[in-house]
Amino acid sequence: MKKLTTSVLAAVFSSSLVVAQEVQNDSTQTKQIEEVVITAMGIKRQDKALGYATAKVGGEDLSRAGNQNITNALGGKTPGVQVIASGGAPGSASRLVIRGGAKSLTGNNEPLYVIDGVPISNANDGNYNTVSGISSPNRAADINPDDIESITVLRGAAGAVLYGNRGSNGVVVITTKSGKVRGGRPIIEFSSQIAFDNALKLPDYQTEFAQGYGSYREGTSLSWGPRIQGQSVYSSAAGGNITLQSYDPRKQFLKTGISRSNSISLSHSFNKSNIFFSAGHSLQTSIVPNQEYEKTNFRFNGTTQVTDKLDLGASVSYNRTNGNLPFAGQDGNNPIFALFHVPVSWNLKGNGYVNANGRQVNFRGGSFDNPYWSVYKNSATTKSERTILGLNLGYQFTDWLKLSYRLGNDKLVDNRVIFRDMYSGAYPNGYLAYDDIARNELTSTVMLNFDKQLTDRLNLTAVLGQDYNKRTYTNTALIGTSLSQPGIIANYNIAEYYTGADNYNTSKRTLFGAFADITLSYSNYLFLNLVGRQEWSSTLPKHNRSYFYPGASLSFVFTDAFDINRNFLSYGKVRAGISKTARDANPYLVYQVYSSAKYRDGFTAGVTFPAVLNGSSLTGYSVANTARNEDLKPEFTTEYELGAELKFLRNRIGLDFTYFKNVNTDLIVPNLQISPASGNRYGVVNLGETRNQGIEAALNIVPVRKKDFSWELNFNFSKVKSYVADIGDIESVRLGGFSANPAIYAYRGERYGTIVGTAYARDINGNIIVDNGYPTIEDGVKLGSVEPDWTGSINSSFKYKGVYLTAQVDIRRGGYIWNGTEALLDYYGVSAKTANREEYIVVPGVTSTGAVNTTPVLQNLDYYDTLPDEEYVYKNNWVKLREITLGYSFRPAGLPFVRSIDIGVYGRNLALWTKVPHIDPESSSFGTGNAQGASRFAFPSTRSFGFSFKVQF
Amino acid sequence: MKKIKFDILKYAMVLGLVTTPFIAISCRQELDINVDPNNPSNASITSLLSASQVGLGYVLGGEATRMPASVMQHYAGHRGQPLNYARYNITSSDTEGNWTYLYDVLMDLKEVENKGTESGEQVYVGVSKLLQAYTFSVLTDLYGDIPFSEALKSMNNSTPAYDTQANIYPQLIAMVEDGIAKVQSGAVTLSSSADVVYSGDVNKWVKFGNSLKLRLLNHLSKKDPSAAANFLATNPDLIDSYTDNAKVPFGTTASSANPIYQFDKLSGRTDQAVASTIVDKMASLSDPRIAVYFEPIENGALAGQYIGNTPGSNDEDSAKEKYSRVGSAYASISSPVMLISAAEVNFIKAEIYQNAGNAAGAQTAYEDAITQDFLALGLSSSDATTYLANVNVTFNNTLERIMEQKWITMFQSSYESWVDWRRTGFPMLTPASNNRTGSVIPRRLPYPTVEINVNGSNLAAGPGIPTPYVTLLTSVWWDQ
C-alpha cells in the first residue's frame, strides 16, 4: 500500500494537478453518523456544536428518482433552497439559490459547490444570463449522483466564512462515498435506471383557423387566416395545392424521451485503507428528435493510514459528456419556439423540411426555422471532459494537534460546435463555430488543527489555515460566418472566417486567504465559535484588495445542560450567530480599456475591425462600452441568524427553525446600465445596499415507527423577503432580459427582481384609457416582483418490511411571472382562446374624454397587438407532485453472495397544479442568472416514469 | 517530549517541501495580474478615427434610416419590425438601438478629440468636431431635445440632463465652425488610410464642414428663414461635385458589409421591401435611377419587375415574389453610405434660391443636383438631361417640384428627407394603411426605453416621458 500511495503521489505531483479528500478527523467523538456534519474546509463537527443552520441530504434521496443533475435533485429536499430549471431538455442548466439568492445585485448569487473539500466550478457557459444561448448544463451536473454519500447545505454566511468569497452565498458541501465498509468483504453495487419522459405541460391550441391573415398565407407566423373547412389553397412551401385541415404539429414533432443510467461501484476496506471505485453512464434522449445528452463518470477515492500519525487520501474523478443540445430562448433555432407557433393547418411532419433542391421547407419564413430543420440540419453539440483531483495529507503530531494539507484541482474542457446549415432562416449562408472553453481551478489549503481538553469541562478546537486559489478561463472560438457547401460540419467548409478579436478571451484570478476557526466548548453543551479570515484578491485595485472579515456563533444544547424530561423533549438546542463576509469582483473590472471596434445593431452582425476598406486593412478601436472603476471595493455581507432545534417524544417530532437577516453593502455592479448619452452603456460601480430576511423551518414527524412499519413525514418551509434598500442616486439596476422590455430590474425600495414592461395606460381613477376601442399602453411600468412569498415541500416516506413508498410535493406561493409564451401564442393567433376571434369585445375602460368606452372591437390580431406585457403577468403559484418512488428491497434467499436487491418504479414531475396557462411556471427564459421570472418558449419540463434496479454483492 | 519535537521537525520539513511551491510564491506577484489581456489599454488616434467613421456610416445606413425611411415611404416592410415602422408602430423599444449606437459613435469621436487635444493634433480634433456636430444633429433632428452639454462624460455623469434643441443648434453651428478652423490649422497631416471618408484631404473636410453648416441652417427654415441664405451669400466652399461626396465605404466580406446588405441579405429577415410610393413615382417619371435604386423582383411570375409594397400593407413576401428590395447603388455588399452629397447641397441651394425668389439660381442648382446624383450613381450627364426634359421633372419654379426630386434623390438618407418633409410638407404623403396613429404621420421618434428606465428623472424634467403613439406626433423645436 505504501508503494501504491507513493506512486499516486508522484503522479499527482508531476502533473501538479491535485485535489483533496475529506480530512480524517477521527478525534471527533461520534456515536451516530447523523450527528456529524461536514462544515467548511471539510472539517467534521458535531451537529450540536454548530451555531448556524445546515441541512443534510443523503445520497439515496438525491438519486432515487433518477435525476441526473444534482442541482435539480436538491430542490425541495431542505428548507432555504430554491431551484429553478431553465428548461426540461436533457443536460440543461438549473439555478440553485439559498435564502433567496438576493445578496448581490448583479453578481453571482448561487452558492459555492465543494466536493470532498475541493471547490469546483458550477459555471453555466450556455445560457447563464441571456435571452438566447444553448441549453448546456450548470457544471455541478457533471457529478455522478450515485457517487454521493451525502450533501450538506450550509445556508448562512456564517458556516461558509472560511471559504471566503463565493462561500458567502452558502455552500453545497458534497461528500462522496469513501469505501469504508465493515467486515473486510468488498461491496460491489450495480444500479440501473430507465425512464420515459414526456412534456409535462404544453400550450392549448385553437384548431379552427389556418395560417395567414384574412386569407391563407404562408411565410408568416400568424394563424389569423381563414376558417379551416376542407378548402383547397395554394401552398408555396408545399409546392402545390393543399386541402386545409387541422393537424396537431406538437404531437407530430414531440416524442418520448428515454433516460438510461447504469453505474457500478466497488467499496473495500483493508490494511487501514479504504478504496472506492465507481463507473457510471447515463444517456438521455430528448423529447425533441435528434437531441440527447450523455454522461460518463469514473471515480476513485482512496484513503490510507500510512503510519499511526500519517494519513493520506487521494481522489480522482473523470467525467465526460456528449450532448446535442437545443438552442435556447429567442434563438431562431430554439426548436420549441418554432414548434409552439406552427399553425394547425400545417402538416409539419407530412410536408417534410427539405425540398427537392435542398432548401428548407419553410412555411413560416423569416429568421425562425422549421423545427425539423432546427434539429436535423442545425446543431449545438458539446463534448466536455473534466478531471477533479484531490490529495490529502494529514499528520497527527499528538492526540491534540494535527497538520493537514489539501491540494485540489478542477479542470474542465468543453468543446462546443455550433452549426447552422446554409439556407437556415437567420443564416442563409450558414454558420459554423468551434467554440472551446477551458476552465481550471486550483486550491491549496494547509491547516493546523487543535483539539484539546483544557479542563474537565472546557474543550478547545481550533483550525488555523492558509489557502490559495487560482482560477483560469479561456474561450477560443473559430467562427465561420458563411459556408461553401451545405451540410458539411468541417473547418474546410468555411467560406469566410470571423476576424474579431473577441474570438479569444482569457482570464485569470488569484485569491490568498489566512483563516482561523476556534471553538470553545463547555461541558459539551455550550459552544462558542469564533472565525476570521484575511483575504487578498487579485481582482480588486491594490489599495482595496486586502480585507478581513470575522464571525461568531453560539450553540447551547439546553437539554444537556438542564435536567429535562427526555421522554417529552428529547433534544433541545438554541443557536445564534453573526458573521461578516466579503465578495471580490470578477477579473478586469478595474483598469480602463479600449475594445476592438465592432458596430452592429439589433438586427445584424455588423462591422468588425480589423476590416478591409478602400483596399487597405484597417485597425479600429473604440471606447469600451463599459466604464471600469479604479476604486472598486469588495462587497460585504453581514448576516445574523437565530435558530432552534427541538426533538420531542423520543425523536418522533423534530423541528428545526431559523430566522436570518443579512445586510449587503457596497454591492459590485459590473454592468450598471447607464444613459447611453454618457458615452458608455454600462459602468462598474459599488452601489447601495440590499437586505434580506426570512425564516426557514423543517418539521419532521414520525407517525409510525414499528419494527416492520414506519412512516416519516418531512415538511420544509422557507419565507424570504428581500429588499433593495439603496442603489445610489438611480432608481433601478437591470438584471437581465430583452434589450428593451420586458426585462427584470432591481428597483430601489422593492423586493429583488421586478418585471418591467408595458402596461395599460390608466387614468387617475385606475380606468384603462381606451382609444378607438383599443386599450392604450405605456412602457417602463413595474409589473410585479418575481420573488416567492414562500416555498415549501412535503416529503413522505413509508416503509413496510422491504417495501418503501416515498413522495415529494413542492409548493410555491407568490411572486409573479411574465408568460411570454402566451403573449406570443395569442399574437400569432394559435392559442385556444384566439378561436373566438369573430366575437367582439368592449374593453372595460374610459375614452380620453373620460366617457365609458362603448366601442366594440373584434378580438383579432389588431386587438391582441395592443395588449401590454401586463396582460401576461401571472401570480407564480404552483403545486407540483415532484417525485413518487415505490420499491422493494430484499435479500434473496439461496444467494448468499448477494447482499441486497432493490427494485423500484419512480415518477418525477408527475403533476402540476397552477393557474398560469400554457406553461410550467417553473422555468426561465432569461437564463440561470439573476433575471428570473420570465418564460417565453422555454423548453417544456418533462414528466418521467422510470424503473430502477439495484443489487449489492 | 523530545521525541515529539523531533517528529514535528521531521514532518514539518516533509510537509514544507510539499507546500512550498504553493505558499511561497510571491504573493504580490500573483496578485498583480488584473490587467485585461483581451483588450488594449491604449489605442491610436487613427484607429479611433477609422472606427468612428465606419460606425457612423453603419448606424446612419441602418438604424437611423430604417424608421425614417418607413415614415417617408422610401421603405414599406411587409412583416415584422419593418412593417411596424411603416404603420407608425414605432415604440421606445424600437428606437433604443439607434439612440445607443449614435451615442457610441459620439463617444469614439469624443475620444479622437480628447487625444488630439492632448497631443496637439488639431486636424484630428477638427474632423472629430465636424463629425460630432453631424451626429448630434441627426440625433436631435430625430428625437428633439437630447443630452448634449452633459453628454459623453462617462461615469462622471451617468445620467446627463437634456438640452433643448433651441440651445443645441447654435452650439452645433459653433462646433462646425470650430471644426473647420481646426481642420485648416495645418497641425499635423491627416492619415490618408485612417480617414476612410476623404483619405486625409483636409480641403474636402472644409467643404464638408461648410455643407453641413448649410444643411443645419437650412433646417431652421421655420425658425430663422434667412440664416441659410445669409450663409450661402458668403460663398462658402461647398461640396459641389460628386467627386467630393462625403461617404463611408464598406468592404467585401460579411463582417465589413454595408448595413442594408447585412439587414436584407445576411440577416435572413427578408421582411423589408421598398415602398410603392417611391417606386411608382420614379416609374411614372421614367427615372433611370430605378435600376440601381431597386432590386428587381427575384422569383415568381413578377420576376424582373420593380414593384414596391403599399405602405402599411401586411403582405408577406419572404419568397421575394412580390416586392423589390433596395438595389445595387445602396445595398450591394460594399455600397458606401452617404453623409452629404453634392446633390443634397445643390438641392439645399435650390430651396434657398427658390424661397428668395431667385428662379434662375434655383433652376441651376436644381439641375446640378439631379445631374450630380446621376453622375454619382454611374449614370451619364446625358441621362440627366433626358430626365430633366421630362415635363414632370423639368424645373417649374415650385418648391414642391424641388422637394419631390430631393426626396427621390435622398432615398438613402431618409432621416434628412424626414427633416425636409417636416419643414416644407413635401412630398405630400398619404398615411400608411392600418397605422397606429389615427392616420397622422409621425414627426419625431419617441425616446428609448433605456432613457425611461435609467435616466427617467432627467427625461421627465426635460422633454417628458414619451406617451406611446402620441409623442411621436409632436413637433421638435425647429418644426414648431
Side-chain angles (χ1 to χ4, degrees), chain A residues 287-300:
Chain A
I287 60 170
V288 306
N290 206 31
Q291 294 190 347
E292 61 190 18
Y293 193 73
E294 183 183 19
K295 184 163 96 169
T296 310
N297 286 74
F298 295 95
R299 166 173 292 280
F300 170 80

mmCIF file of all heavy atoms in Angstrom, chain A residues 287-300:
data_model
loop_
_atom_site.group_PDB
_atom_site.id
_atom_site.type_symbol
_atom_site.label_atom_id
_atom_site.label_comp_id
_atom_site.label_asym_id
_atom_site.label_seq_id
_atom_site.Cartn_x
_atom_site.Cartn_y
_atom_site.Cartn_z
ATOM 1 N N ILE A 287 -37.135 14.891 -25.753
ATOM 2 C CA ILE A 287 -38.481 14.763 -26.313
ATOM 3 C C ILE A 287 -38.571 15.420 -27.694
ATOM 4 O O ILE A 287 -39.571 15.299 -28.363
ATOM 5 C CB ILE A 287 -39.564 15.352 -25.375
ATOM 6 C CG1 ILE A 287 -39.320 16.836 -25.117
ATOM 7 C CG2 ILE A 287 -39.627 14.555 -24.078
ATOM 8 C CD1 ILE A 287 -40.478 17.518 -24.414
ATOM 9 N N VAL A 288 -37.511 16.145 -28.097
ATOM 10 C CA VAL A 288 -37.470 16.580 -29.493
ATOM 11 C C VAL A 288 -36.525 15.645 -30.231
ATOM 12 O O VAL A 288 -35.617 15.081 -29.635
ATOM 13 C CB VAL A 288 -37.028 18.061 -29.659
ATOM 14 C CG1 VAL A 288 -37.883 18.978 -28.824
ATOM 15 C CG2 VAL A 288 -35.564 18.242 -29.332
ATOM 16 N N PRO A 289 -36.739 15.452 -31.532
ATOM 17 C CA PRO A 289 -35.916 14.478 -32.251
ATOM 18 C C PRO A 289 -34.447 14.875 -32.290
ATOM 19 O O PRO A 289 -34.105 16.061 -32.250
ATOM 20 C CB PRO A 289 -36.507 14.508 -33.679
ATOM 21 C CG PRO A 289 -37.819 15.181 -33.573
ATOM 22 C CD PRO A 289 -37.761 16.071 -32.381
ATOM 23 N N ASN A 290 -33.602 13.874 -32.404
ATOM 24 C CA ASN A 290 -32.184 14.047 -32.714
ATOM 25 C C ASN A 290 -31.387 14.796 -31.652
ATOM 26 O O ASN A 290 -30.344 15.346 -31.944
ATOM 27 C CB ASN A 290 -32.032 14.777 -34.068
ATOM 28 C CG ASN A 290 -30.710 14.429 -34.730
ATOM 29 O OD1 ASN A 290 -30.203 13.321 -34.551
ATOM 30 N ND2 ASN A 290 -30.137 15.368 -35.463
ATOM 31 N N GLN A 291 -31.894 14.876 -30.428
ATOM 32 C CA GLN A 291 -31.110 15.529 -29.389
ATOM 33 C C GLN A 291 -30.983 14.604 -28.186
ATOM 34 O O GLN A 291 -31.917 13.881 -27.861
ATOM 35 C CB GLN A 291 -31.743 16.867 -28.986
ATOM 36 C CG GLN A 291 -31.688 17.853 -30.141
ATOM 37 C CD GLN A 291 -32.074 19.259 -29.758
ATOM 38 O OE1 GLN A 291 -32.615 19.491 -28.698
ATOM 39 N NE2 GLN A 291 -31.785 20.199 -30.631
ATOM 40 N N GLU A 292 -29.828 14.691 -27.553
ATOM 41 C CA GLU A 292 -29.576 13.794 -26.435
ATOM 42 C C GLU A 292 -28.421 14.325 -25.602
ATOM 43 O O GLU A 292 -27.708 15.242 -26.015
ATOM 44 C CB GLU A 292 -29.215 12.393 -26.951
ATOM 45 C CG GLU A 292 -27.962 12.396 -27.813
ATOM 46 C CD GLU A 292 -27.726 11.077 -28.516
ATOM 47 O OE1 GLU A 292 -28.685 10.289 -28.622
ATOM 48 O OE2 GLU A 292 -26.594 10.843 -28.936
ATOM 49 N N TYR A 293 -28.266 13.747 -24.446
ATOM 50 C CA TYR A 293 -27.168 14.132 -23.571
ATOM 51 C C TYR A 293 -26.633 12.890 -22.893
ATOM 52 O O TYR A 293 -27.381 12.115 -22.309
ATOM 53 C CB TYR A 293 -27.652 15.143 -22.530
ATOM 54 C CG TYR A 293 -26.521 15.823 -21.798
ATOM 55 C CD1 TYR A 293 -25.744 16.774 -22.434
ATOM 56 C CD2 TYR A 293 -26.230 15.494 -20.474
ATOM 57 C CE1 TYR A 293 -24.704 17.402 -21.774
ATOM 58 C CE2 TYR A 293 -25.188 16.124 -19.808
ATOM 59 C CZ TYR A 293 -24.431 17.079 -20.471
ATOM 60 O OH TYR A 293 -23.405 17.702 -19.817
ATOM 61 N N GLU A 294 -25.330 12.721 -22.993
ATOM 62 C CA GLU A 294 -24.705 11.509 -22.483
ATOM 63 C C GLU A 294 -23.616 11.897 -21.496
ATOM 64 O O GLU A 294 -22.893 12.862 -21.700
ATOM 65 C CB GLU A 294 -24.076 10.745 -23.658
ATOM 66 C CG GLU A 294 -23.453 9.431 -23.261
ATOM 67 C CD GLU A 294 -22.769 8.747 -24.441
ATOM 68 O OE1 GLU A 294 -22.469 9.428 -25.438
ATOM 69 O OE2 GLU A 294 -22.542 7.531 -24.346
ATOM 70 N N LYS A 295 -23.525 11.126 -20.444
ATOM 71 C CA LYS A 295 -22.572 11.456 -19.392
ATOM 72 C C LYS A 295 -21.883 10.178 -18.929
ATOM 73 O O LYS A 295 -22.541 9.167 -18.681
ATOM 74 C CB LYS A 295 -23.350 12.101 -18.241
ATOM 75 C CG LYS A 295 -22.540 12.606 -17.104
ATOM 76 C CD LYS A 295 -23.344 13.574 -16.259
ATOM 77 C CE LYS A 295 -23.968 12.885 -15.071
ATOM 78 N NZ LYS A 295 -24.532 13.807 -14.091
ATOM 79 N N THR A 296 -20.581 10.221 -18.821
ATOM 80 C CA THR A 296 -19.826 9.057 -18.352
ATOM 81 C C THR A 296 -18.946 9.518 -17.185
ATOM 82 O O THR A 296 -18.300 10.555 -17.285
ATOM 83 C CB THR A 296 -18.927 8.491 -19.472
ATOM 84 O OG1 THR A 296 -19.722 8.323 -20.637
ATOM 85 C CG2 THR A 296 -18.322 7.171 -19.073
ATOM 86 N N ASN A 297 -18.969 8.767 -16.119
ATOM 87 C CA ASN A 297 -18.204 9.159 -14.937
ATOM 88 C C ASN A 297 -17.358 8.008 -14.414
ATOM 89 O O ASN A 297 -17.801 6.860 -14.388
ATOM 90 C CB ASN A 297 -19.147 9.546 -13.791
ATOM 91 C CG ASN A 297 -19.795 10.884 -14.006
ATOM 92 O OD1 ASN A 297 -20.693 11.017 -14.832
ATOM 93 N ND2 ASN A 297 -19.337 11.886 -13.287
ATOM 94 N N PHE A 298 -16.159 8.350 -13.981
ATOM 95 C CA PHE A 298 -15.342 7.396 -13.229
ATOM 96 C C PHE A 298 -14.857 8.094 -11.969
ATOM 97 O O PHE A 298 -14.577 9.296 -11.996
ATOM 98 C CB PHE A 298 -14.112 6.952 -14.033
ATOM 99 C CG PHE A 298 -14.449 6.186 -15.265
ATOM 100 C CD1 PHE A 298 -14.548 6.831 -16.494
ATOM 101 C CD2 PHE A 298 -14.696 4.821 -15.197
ATOM 102 C CE1 PHE A 298 -14.871 6.125 -17.636
ATOM 103 C CE2 PHE A 298 -15.016 4.107 -16.336
ATOM 104 C CZ PHE A 298 -15.111 4.753 -17.558
ATOM 105 N N ARG A 299 -14.753 7.356 -10.909
ATOM 106 C CA ARG A 299 -14.238 7.960 -9.683
ATOM 107 C C ARG A 299 -13.407 6.949 -8.919
ATOM 108 O O ARG A 299 -13.755 5.756 -8.858
ATOM 109 C CB ARG A 299 -15.400 8.451 -8.805
ATOM 110 C CG ARG A 299 -14.992 8.794 -7.376
ATOM 111 C CD ARG A 299 -16.120 9.428 -6.593
ATOM 112 N NE ARG A 299 -16.443 10.739 -7.111
ATOM 113 C CZ ARG A 299 -15.761 11.848 -6.841
ATOM 114 N NH1 ARG A 299 -14.723 11.802 -6.023
ATOM 115 N NH2 ARG A 299 -16.108 12.992 -7.367
ATOM 116 N N PHE A 300 -12.303 7.439 -8.379
ATOM 117 C CA PHE A 300 -11.530 6.639 -7.444
ATOM 118 C C PHE A 300 -11.300 7.477 -6.201
ATOM 119 O O PHE A 300 -10.821 8.609 -6.290
ATOM 120 C CB PHE A 300 -10.175 6.234 -8.048
ATOM 121 C CG PHE A 300 -9.251 5.620 -7.033
ATOM 122 C CD1 PHE A 300 -9.403 4.288 -6.668
ATOM 123 C CD2 PHE A 300 -8.269 6.375 -6.406
ATOM 124 C CE1 PHE A 300 -8.581 3.723 -5.700
ATOM 125 C CE2 PHE A 300 -7.449 5.819 -5.431
ATOM 126 C CZ PHE A 300 -7.598 4.486 -5.086
#
